Amino acid sequence: MPTISLHFDPSVFAHLARATGDDTVHLTLSLGGGDEPLKAAPAPAVPRGPLADLMQADLLPAGTELNFYQRRANRRGRAVVTPEGQLIVDGHASPFPSPSKAAEAITGNVINGWTLWHLRDGRTLDDLRRELRRADKKH
């Protein structure tokens, strides 16, 4: 069995120290610099699914944080866009393939994730889809 060695940049520990008990911290591990060079670099992720068009148009970069707040239910949600076009939702181990499935995982109800999830600037994913359609009509 090979030996596995994990090395973390000090900024990782600083981030963990700032995290609260309700935070989910996502870490990505990759192969790197051992005694043997890597044979081939992994292929870059290609966005697929409902968010792919927004990502390919540079309207929704990987790593974008999305949030929602439902005042009546006093419920909040947070998700991060993966390079593959999925959403990692706080508190869930597996990514979700669509905004609505990600929202449903938090609310427990079938819900339109396109209008629920917001970017930091207040726009919804549906707003981004409309921007993309307008840009497509101009070309």
Side-chain angles (χ1 to χ4, degrees):
M1 173 75 118
T3 300
I4 297 174
S5 176
L6 300 175
H7 300 274
F8 294 97
D9 185 273
S11 64
V12 172
F13 293 109
H15 180 77
L16 289 172
R18 288 190 307 271
T20 67
D22 294 334
D23 288 343
T24 300
V25 177
H26 301 281
L27 298 175
T28 302
L29 300 176
S30 60
L31 295 174
D35 295 329
E36 298 177 24
L38 296 176
K39 302 283 188 241
V46 176
R48 297 190 192 315
L51 298 177
D53 290 342
L54 296 177
M55 295 178 75
Q56 291 165 352
D58 293 326
L59 291 172
L60 187 69
T64 299
E65 182 179 308
L66 303 171
N67 293 282
F68 76 80
Y69 176 65
Q70 291 177 309
R71 186 170 297 144
R72 272 190 268 153
N74 194 28
R75 188 169 27 219
R76 296 179 185 276
R78 180 183 170 276
V80 176
V81 179
T82 70
E84 296 82 13
Q86 297 185 332
L87 294 174
I88 296 174
V89 176
D90 283 354
H92 295 269
S94 299
F96 292 89
S98 74
S100 296
K101 291 292 183 191
E104 185 179 339
I106 296 172
T107 65
N109 301 313
V110 175
I111 192 162
N112 184 350
W114 292 95
T115 58
L116 187 69
W117 292 107
H118 289 80
L119 284 81
R120 287 185 188 259
D121 65 11
R123 292 178 297 164
T124 65
L125 293 174
D126 198 44
D127 293 334
L128 295 182
R129 277 198 305 194
R130 282 194 293 269
E131 285 180 37
L132 181 60
R133 280 189 226 123
R134 281 193 299 270
D136 286 345
K137 285 181 184 179
K138 289 180 182 178
H139 294 110

